[in-house]
Amino acid sequence: MDNLQTPIRPLQVEIDGMAKYRQARSVEDLAAFLLSEKWPHLENDPAAFHHALATSMDAMQLYLDPEVARQAFVEAAHASQMHILPDDTAG
């Protein structure tokens, strides 16, 4: 049961530098990105970062819909000036 993941609509995160994307398929992936050393933790908008982390934790415990965590992550990424695909290409 250790491998249970909370799925999300997949997204690509520009976290490894400009135009270098990594894929997230689960809330656990989102939390891992937020906690990674590559995330600019408190440089831009600490409130967005903390909100994204808290919603990720709640979604992993099934207290929140994973889509809520995904949206909070996208907002935190944008606050940190990272691009998210496909969200940034949606018309």
Side-chain angles (χ1 to χ4, degrees):
M1 294 265 204
D2 292 339
N3 295 329
L4 291 179
Q5 299 279 305
T6 310
I8 59 166
R9 286 181 296 124
L11 54 82
Q12 299 284 327
V13 183
E14 185 184 40
I15 195 167
D16 287 329
M18 185 180 282
K20 295 181 181 177
Y21 292 86
R22 293 180 58 200
Q23 188 167 55
R25 293 182 172 273
S26 68
V27 174
E28 290 77 8
D29 291 341
L30 301 180
F33 286 142
L34 288 164
L35 295 172
S36 79
E37 62 186 39
K38 294 188 178 195
W39 189 275
H41 292 277
L42 303 175
E43 293 173 17
N44 295 303
D45 188 345
F49 166 78
H50 289 292
H51 178 68
L53 186 58
T55 58
S56 293
M57 296 297 144
D58 285 347
M60 282 191 280
Q61 297 297 316
L62 304 178
Y63 297 134
L64 282 178
D65 185 315
E67 185 61 26
V68 173
R70 186 186 187 282
Q71 184 58 42
F73 179 87
V74 169
E75 290 169 10
H78 286 160
S80 293
Q81 301 175 359
M82 288 187 268
H83 294 105
I84 302 291
L85 299 176
D87 296 58
D88 292 349
T89 59

